[in-house]
Amino acid sequence: MISRWIMNRKSQNKEQPLANMINLFKKSEDFVESEYILNGKLFYIAYYEPLIDNKELNENVLKVLKENHTYITLEEMKDAVANANSLWINQSDELREKVMHGFVIIYDQPLPKRCLAIQATQENNRSVAPPETEFSVSGPQEAFIESLDTNIYLIRKRLPLPQLQIKELSIGKLTQTRVVVMYIDGIADPDNIETVIQRLHSIEIDQVIDANALSQMITDQTMSIFPQLIHTERPERVAAVLAEGKIAFMANGSPDAIIGPATLIEFFSSLEDYYLHWQIASFLRLLRFGAVLFSIFSTPIYVAVLTFHYELIPRDLLSTIIASRSNIPFPPIIEAIFLELTIELLREAGARLPTKVGQTIGIVGGIVIGQASVEAGLTSNILLIIVALAALASFTTPVYQMGNTIRVIRFPILFMAAFFGGVGVAFCGLYVLIHLIRLTSLGRPYMEPLFPPRFTDWKDAFVRLPFNRMSKRPIYMRPLDSGRFNFKRATSKSDFDE
């Protein structure tokens, strides 16, 4: 008898998946289930109160039902409610998804086999604001926000074409986060599209906090310190790279879009390069490359020269260095590490504190600590200038993730310079170069157009040529449509009287 009762109980549970899910909802105190009697028939309306817009619920659902008492079936209710987002639900997974995203469910019996779901989602999103991490003087001043639908609108506003395809996924065992993959059909390489969708679909994780976490899970080499996908908060950048044949994906609740495949050159390209004249943009881009190299190698070379290769210092400069280090009791590596760590501490403290306090800490702390360390004889003034310039040069990187990488890789090079001198610096430089050559982004070469050499892509690499010279899309993307526009017509100058 007991076994038969258990079997009957299991069969009832299988036949009542919606009832079991509703009973699970009722365990939470913010889940509301109300009874309404219409035309002598009992109906149940249930929802999670924090997820519901009360105005939408009262005006488009409850008010309609109260004004007309002739409804006796759910079908008549569905026709009467003026809401396009109303649907029938007969699966527990679909019921869970809709209720947890702000849908109101209506059913006519305590153990329903189907429900009428009506959307009444509460939208508490911040308005579109100017970019913060990718600020530019000229150009559009709109940035993504935490609402996925708003972010898609910002993209479609700039690319109003039906070829812009959006594929939606649900990732996260607990969070069920909406993730969309965007590309332009007819331009993007199908292999790149399939790679991104397959890698996102194969992610096994319980929660998705941000789109940046997803980018770490789908990169080619997770052990590399170099970012292999570009993170951006600017809609116009996403629209521009989609037109080149790239793929982008965004997650609900994240104000960033992830772009791939990416190359090393692109991490040093700013959107403002395309808003300025091409000569000025090319100069600024070359200045960034020089600043990054200076930021990485300036302090290690100083330590290597003073430790092993002091004979390379000119005689006039050597006397100045000796005078500045006459009262320093530490070797160059100790004072270099002290100053580098001080700069990093000030930078991290300024980033974590409120904006006004962080700016004060960065300026006052840098001046006070720098001046006090020189007067106390802990560091030399020459090394203080070099470290300060290196820190300043690291801020020229337009993409924040690459700036963090540059900050970190300076330290192993600094230690190699202290132990092995110039040989250690050269070894680290070659090691980084080999690593970059072997690195890929979604299967595409990371060092393109340098390796493999793609001379046709140099027109937008270290320098930016005029727009009428960039008639072809990047080769390494393997776009289905490689031509942007007709080169001859773009370069011809015809007057009105011709």
Side-chain angles (χ1 to χ4, degrees):
M1 294 293 293
I2 295 177
S3 61
R4 184 181 301 174
W5 180 84
I6 294 175
M7 293 295 294
N8 293 335
R9 189 70 175 175
K10 290 183 178 179
S11 63
Q12 290 178 3
N13 291 338
K14 291 181 180 179
E15 294 175 358
Q16 300 172 355
L18 298 188
N20 296 333
M21 185 60 65
I22 293 175
N23 290 332
L24 180 61
F25 293 154
K26 291 180 181 179
K27 293 181 179 180
S28 180
E29 295 184 357
D30 61 343
F31 184 76
V32 178
E33 184 185 47
S34 304
E35 296 180 357
Y36 285 85
I37 298 178
L38 300 176
N39 199 22
K41 188 173 182 180
L42 180 63
F43 291 92
Y44 300 87
I45 299 180
Y47 51 88
Y48 275 100
E49 189 172 11
L51 303 178
I52 295 299
D53 186 353
N54 291 324
K55 182 179 180 181
E56 180 77 15
L57 176 63
N58 293 327
E59 293 184 358
N60 295 336
V61 180
L62 300 181
K63 184 178 179 181
V64 175
L65 298 181
K66 290 179 179 179
E67 289 178 350
N68 196 333
H69 297 279
T70 61
Y71 308 132
I72 58 175
T73 63
L74 292 176
E75 287 80 1
E76 294 176 347
M77 288 186 180
K78 186 178 187 301
D79 296 335
V81 175
N83 193 319
N85 293 322
S86 59
L87 67 157
W88 295 109
I89 294 179
N90 53 16
Q91 298 292 332
S92 59
D93 292 340
E94 187 178 9
L95 176 64
R96 180 187 62 181
E97 178 186 356
K98 297 303 180 182
V99 172
M100 300 308 299
H101 286 84
F103 276 70
V104 177
I105 56 173
I106 304 176
Y107 43 96
D108 54 3
Q109 50 184 329
L111 302 177
K113 293 185 178 180
R114 71 168 183 171
C115 299
L116 174 62
I118 303 173
Q119 186 176 16
T121 308
Q122 180 174 211
E123 297 289 346
N124 290 327
N125 299 314
R126 62 185 176 96
S127 59
V128 178
E132 295 183 3
T133 60
E134 294 180 272
F135 179 78
S136 64
V137 178
S138 57
Q141 299 298 316
E142 290 180 334
F144 290 127
I145 62 174
E146 288 75 14
S147 174
L148 183 58
D149 294 329
T150 302
N151 295 340
I152 295 175
Y153 161 75
L154 294 175
I155 299 298
R156 285 202 174 274
K157 183 176 69 171
R158 291 167 170 81
L159 292 175
L161 68 164
Q163 289 82 5
L164 177 60
Q165 301 294 315
I166 293 179
K167 304 298 181 182
E168 185 168 333
L169 304 172
S170 180
I171 303 177
K173 183 179 179 180
L174 297 179
T175 57
Q176 295 290 315
T177 305
R178 291 175 58 204
V179 178
V180 295
V181 179
M182 296 179 292
Y183 62 92
I184 297 181
D185 189 20
I187 297 180
D189 185 7
D191 292 339
N192 294 336
I193 301 172
E194 184 179 356
T195 298
V196 174
I197 295 178
Q198 186 272 331
R199 292 187 182 182
L200 289 174
H201 187 71
S202 62
I203 290 177
E204 290 289 340
I205 194 171
D206 57 345
Q207 61 175 345
V208 176
I209 302 175
D210 191 81
N212 299 297
L214 294 176
S215 68
Q216 299 178 38
M217 301 176 193
I218 69 170
T219 52
D220 293 12
Q221 298 185 24
T222 57
M223 301 303 293
S224 176
I225 194 175
F226 286 90
Q228 299 158 49
L229 298 173
I230 296 178
H231 303 192
T232 181
E233 62 174 349
R234 301 192 65 116
E236 70 271 22
R237 183 163 197 166
V238 176
V241 297
L242 289 177
E244 290 183 350
K246 293 182 183 293
I247 317 297
F249 66 88
M250 297 185 294
N252 192 32
S254 175
D256 293 321
I258 313 301
I259 303 169
T263 63
L264 180 66
I265 300 295
E266 292 177 321
F267 286 94
F268 302 99
S269 300
S270 172
L271 279 174
E272 205 161 7
D273 295 346
Y274 302 95
Y275 304 144
L276 302 174
H277 202 269
W278 70 273
Q279 291 97 336
I280 300 175
S282 299
F283 169 77
L284 294 178
R285 190 174 293 184
L286 291 174
L287 181 64
R288 291 191 206 107
F289 285 110
V292 168
L293 293 176
F294 179 84
S295 176
I296 296 174
F297 293 105
S298 59
T299 307
I301 290 177
Y302 173 86
V303 173
V305 169
L306 287 187
T307 306
F308 295 95
H309 316 291
Y310 53 86
E311 67 276 2
L312 298 177
I313 304 176
R315 185 181 301 273
D316 297 336
L317 181 59
L318 183 61
S319 60
T320 304
I321 295 177
I322 293 175
S324 65
R325 288 189 49 81
S326 59
N327 297 324
I328 307 300
F330 306 113
I333 181 61
I334 299 298
E335 60 172 331
I337 291 296
F338 172 75
L339 286 178
E340 290 285 356
L341 290 179
T342 302
I343 292 293
E344 294 302 324
L345 287 175
L346 289 172
R347 185 184 302 186
E348 192 66 16
R352 298 292 171 259
L353 291 172
T355 304
K356 295 182 179 179
V357 180
Q359 293 176 353
T360 304
I361 289 293
I363 297 174
V364 177
I367 296 174
V368 171
I369 295 176
Q371 184 67 24
S373 61
V374 172
E375 293 181 356
L378 298 178
T379 59
S380 63
N381 50 10
I382 295 180
L383 180 59
L384 179 62
I385 295 173
I386 293 176
V387 172
L389 289 177
L392 186 63
S394 65
F395 287 113
T396 60
T397 309
V399 181
Y400 178 73
Q401 286 75 18
M402 182 58 72
N404 291 336
T405 300
I406 293 171
R407 291 166 56 185
V408 173
I409 64 175
R410 288 187 300 175
F411 287 94
I413 300 177
L414 187 60
F415 282 109
M416 291 292 289
F419 292 127
F420 303 102
V423 176
V425 176
F427 175 81
C428 288
L430 289 175
Y431 179 84
V432 172
L433 181 60
I434 293 172
H435 175 72
L436 292 174
I437 291 176
R438 298 179 59 186
L439 205 59
T440 58
S441 175
L442 300 180
R444 304 303 181 191
Y446 192 68
M447 285 292 288
E448 197 275 345
L450 301 179
F451 181 85
R454 310 286 190 188
F455 296 107
T456 56
D457 289 345
W458 280 55
K459 57 183 176 295
D460 192 18
F462 294 104
V463 297
R464 181 186 74 79
L465 296 183
F467 288 114
N468 57 10
R469 300 290 177 179
M470 296 186 289
S471 60
K472 298 292 182 181
R473 294 186 173 91
I475 296 177
Y476 80 99
M477 290 298 304
R478 298 180 182 177
L480 300 181
D481 184 7
S482 61
R484 283 180 170 141
F485 51 85
N486 187 283
F487 175 74
K488 292 184 178 179
R489 287 187 295 180
T491 55
S492 62
K493 301 291 184 180
S494 57
D495 296 330
F496 289 103
D497 56 352
E498 292 184 0

